[in-house]
Structures are given as structure tokens and as C-alpha cells.
Amino acid sequence: MEKLIKLRGFYLFLGLAGGSFGSYLTLLLKANGLDVSQVGLLMAVGMSIAICIQPVWGMISDRYNQARLVLILSVAVPAVLAVFYRSDYFIVLLLVYTVSTIFSSTQAPIADSYAIAAANRAGSSYGSIRMMMSIGAAVGAYAGGQYIANFSVSTIWIPFLLLNAVAVIIALTLPKQAEENHMMSQSFSQGIRKLLGNRIFLAFLGGCFLVNQTMAAFGTYFVVAFQSVGGSSGNAGIALFIASVTNVPSMLYASKVIRRFGRERTLLLGALIYVLRWGIQVAFPYPSVMIGVQVLHGLSFGLFYIAAVEYVSQITSPEMQATGQSVFNIVFSGLAGILGNLLNGMLLEQGGVGLMNLACMLSSAVGAVLLIYVARSARSKAPLPVSSGGIGA
């Protein structure tokens, strides 16, 4: 129980920090002289390098039994480097974002390994822990909007640094390594070959990739897109608050939804709500609608993410848990983030909000089609084998 409280506090302050800073980073970079396409390029390059580095973090954590140290570094280094976002040199901004992403990219796999193990041990659910990040992100996003409305956006790094400092202090009280941690029980390359030999898992990854790349249009470009149609920074904060706070009930009750409909159908439901939320913004590209449509965020991202993490846990055997989650995170956050930042930045720059929203709607729809295949294959419930003979579909 004590560990659950610590983890919930840790996720809360991560959400506060990320919500108050990450949502407005694009605005800060634009204030430093970058255009939207340059922002997309900067973020895509940073994520590309982080993807290559991410497996190394897993091996360090496993070989030297230093999950807590890796987790602390993943929070502390980006927080300290945030002060350099005030630079107006592209190369400096690229370097800062790249190094920050290299460290922060390991946050989710390590933190989730603690959360899943602690939840299982206490008879709780992963969603009940993860929702604290959504609560923090909701409050942080609203507070961040108010902050930049009253102060210079160039100082947004100050609350980011302070909030992350609290998260680091909490992380220092966590055990050195998560219980039941199966990270890197076999070589990363061997695990990838086995996982990617399964057609259903590939369809799942493809669906996640196409659906989540649209989140770059929200996470990276929402404030810029919102302002381009006449919205204010303060109202952008309200929209981001609504989006994050709707994740709370979704993540809290996700386990009940999954028990009723199954992981695969819950994934499909989340993807279809993605199509709906982007479709509404295509039809009605107005600030008031962009605020109101955020009530669908929890039903789309909240349900989708929890179901996806649990699906990976279900379809992979115990010896491949960490490898499966690592592959999922690389595709869901890494590759999807690269495409999303490059594509949506270019679309927003060249065709405006309408073209970007239309592309997001179509991408989500194709992703949903792939997840229909996954849902229809749900009757094959056996975990992926781990023998050297490979995987059957």
C-alpha cells in the first residue's frame, strides 16, 4: 500500500510537470524563431535517436539492477536541460531536445514496471495508478496556460524544473528494482524477432502506430492550431485540462470495460472514438468545438492506452513481458511520434488545421481497420511461445 501511494505521487508530479511544459513547448520554440516544420523536424530527429538508445537503458537497468537510478535520471536530466530551451539557435535546441528525449524515453517502461508489479501485488489495477498522471496533466495544462498568459513563455521551464524535482525526491524512496520485473530476460534482438513473427501482433502494432501518430497533432501542435483559428492561450489551457481530466474516469474504470468487452474490442472502441474526435474537428474547425471535443480524449486515449498495455501483457509470455512492452513503446511513442511530428507539422504549415485534422481522421480509420483484424483473431488466446523455433500466427 505504501508503494502504491508513492507511485501515485510520482505519477501525479510527472503529469503536473509534463502538462505545464510539454503542451506549450511548441509555443516556446516558435517564440524562439522556429516555424512549425522546423519544430516537427527537431522532435522527429530527437525521437529517432532516442529509439536507438532505448534498448540500452533496458540492458543497463537489468544488468546492473539499477531501475530506480535510470528512472531518476529520466526525470532529472530533462528537467535541468529545460533551461536551455530559451536559446534561439536551432542546433542548441535540437541538442537539448535530443538529450532530453534520450533520457525521458525510458520513463514509461521503467515506471510502468513498478506500477504493474505494485498493482498486482496489492490487488489493485494499473489504471488506478496511471490515472494520477492524467490528473496531474489536467491541472498542469490548465496552470501552464494561465502561467504563459500572465508571464513570459520563455520562463515555463521554472515550474517544470520544480515539479520534476519533487518527482525525483519521491523516486528516491522507491525500491532499487521493481518486484516481478522480467526486463530483458532474453536478448532484445531475439525477443523482437519472435514478436514480429506474429501477424496478429504486427497488425496490433500497425493499428497503434496509425492511431497514435495523430496524438502528435494534439500533444505537439494543439496550442498552435488552436491559436491559428482564433483561440487564446488561456482557453487552450482549459481545453488541455478537459482532455487530461477525462482520462481519469477512463483509466479508473478501464479494467471494468476490458472485462466486459475484452482487450481487443476495447482497443477497437478507442480507435473508433479517435476517428470521431478528428472527424468532428474536420467538420467544425472552431475554437469552441476544439475545446468541447476534448471530452472524447479520455474515451479515446485513456481506454486505448490501458487496453494496449494490458493486451501486450496478455499476448506475450512472462519471459517476454519487458521485450513486448519495449517494442510496443518504441512503436507507440517513438515511431508514431516521429511520423506524427513530421507529417502533422508539414500539414499544419502547408494546409492549415483542416488538412491536418483530415489526415488524422483518415489515419485513425485505417488503424481501426487493422484492429478489427486483431479483434476477430481474439479467439486465439495463447501467449506467444518463447522457444527457439519461432512464433506461429
Side-chain angles (χ1 to χ4, degrees):
M1 183 59 68
E2 181 182 356
K3 184 185 286 187
L4 288 181
I5 294 174
K6 291 178 180 178
L7 283 168
R8 284 170 178 153
F10 178 75
Y11 272 98
L12 174 65
F13 279 94
L14 276 187
L16 286 167
S20 64
F21 183 77
S23 302
Y24 303 100
L25 178 56
T26 302
L27 207 60
L28 173 59
L29 295 174
K30 282 195 68 183
N32 290 345
L34 274 62
D35 60 36
V36 175
S37 295
Q38 286 178 308
V39 171
L41 176 62
L42 179 146
M43 294 185 172
V45 171
M47 288 182 179
S48 299
I49 296 173
I51 286 175
C52 299
I53 298 295
Q54 188 170 333
V56 177
W57 284 122
M59 289 184 283
I60 291 173
S61 173
D62 180 61
R63 179 171 297 179
Y64 299 105
N65 198 33
Q66 292 292 338
R68 183 179 62 191
L69 175 60
V70 173
L71 186 61
I72 290 171
L73 290 174
S74 75
V75 179
V77 173
V80 172
L81 290 179
V83 65
F84 295 103
Y85 280 117
R86 295 181 300 171
S87 173
D88 54 2
Y89 293 102
F90 180 82
I91 188 64
V92 173
L93 295 171
L94 176 61
L95 182 61
V96 170
Y97 184 82
T98 299
V99 175
S100 296
T101 306
I102 285 172
F103 279 88
S104 64
S105 65
T106 191
Q107 232 173 65
I110 300 293
D112 288 349
S113 71
Y114 275 103
I116 293 171
N120 290 338
R121 194 176 185 87
S124 184
S125 67
Y126 164 70
S128 69
I129 300 174
R130 177 58 176 76
M131 73 174 184
M132 297 304 295
M133 181 178 282
S134 296
I135 293 174
V139 176
Y142 176 76
Q146 298 304 309
Y147 182 93
I148 64 173
N150 292 281
F151 303 96
S152 171
V153 69
S154 64
T155 63
I156 196 73
W157 62 271
I158 297 175
F160 180 69
L161 176 61
L162 296 176
L163 291 167
N164 273 323
V166 178
V168 167
I169 292 171
I170 296 174
L172 285 168
T173 68
L174 293 173
K176 192 175 182 181
Q177 191 79 352
E179 299 99 333
E180 304 173 25
N181 186 17
H182 300 291
M183 293 186 69
M184 300 300 173
S185 61
Q186 60 179 309
S187 76
F188 192 80
S189 59
Q190 182 185 20
I192 287 180
R193 284 197 301 270
K194 290 181 176 181
L195 285 170
L196 299 187
N198 183 277
R199 290 195 300 272
I200 299 173
F201 191 71
L202 283 176
F204 161 76
L205 289 179
C208 289
F209 174 80
L210 290 169
V211 168
N212 200 58
Q213 74 86 13
T214 70
M215 286 306 295
F218 173 74
T220 303
Y221 300 114
F222 176 79
V223 176
V224 175
F226 187 73
Q227 290 184 337
S228 73
V229 295
S232 66
S233 298
N235 286 337
I238 293 174
L240 293 168
F241 173 83
I242 293 172
S244 295
V245 81
T246 55
N247 269 332
V248 176
S250 293
M251 291 187 172
L252 185 60
Y253 294 103
S255 59
K256 293 183 180 179
V257 176
I258 290 170
R259 280 198 298 270
R260 179 168 182 179
F261 296 105
R263 295 175 181 86
E264 297 84 358
R265 290 183 179 178
T266 303
L267 277 168
L268 178 58
L269 175 63
L272 292 174
I273 298 174
Y274 269 96
V275 178
L276 176 63
R277 69 183 284 191
W278 291 115
I280 291 174
Q281 292 178 90
V282 169
F284 307 100
Y286 311 117
S288 58
V289 175
M290 291 178 73
I291 294 174
V293 80
Q294 302 311 321
V295 298
L296 295 176
H297 182 77
L299 292 175
S300 53
F301 178 79
L303 287 179
F304 192 92
Y305 183 75
I306 296 297
V309 170
E310 293 196 7
Y311 177 80
V312 174
S313 180
Q314 172 223 347
I315 200 173
T316 54
S317 64
E319 293 82 0
M320 295 179 67
Q321 287 292 306
T323 301
Q325 295 292 351
S326 294
V327 171
F328 166 69
N329 192 62
I330 286 172
V331 173
F332 188 77
S333 299
L335 296 177
I338 292 170
L339 175 68
N341 281 304
L342 284 174
L343 176 63
N344 293 305
M346 180 187 69
L347 293 173
L348 182 60
E349 181 83 9
Q350 301 298 323
V353 177
L355 182 60
M356 183 182 74
N357 289 342
L358 176 61
C360 288
M361 182 186 73
L362 295 175
S363 181
S364 299
V366 177
V369 171
L370 289 174
L371 292 173
I372 289 174
Y373 169 72
V374 174
R376 288 182 174 178
S377 304
R379 55 183 175 271
S380 176
K381 292 292 184 181
L384 300 183
V386 295
S387 64
S388 59
I391 297 176

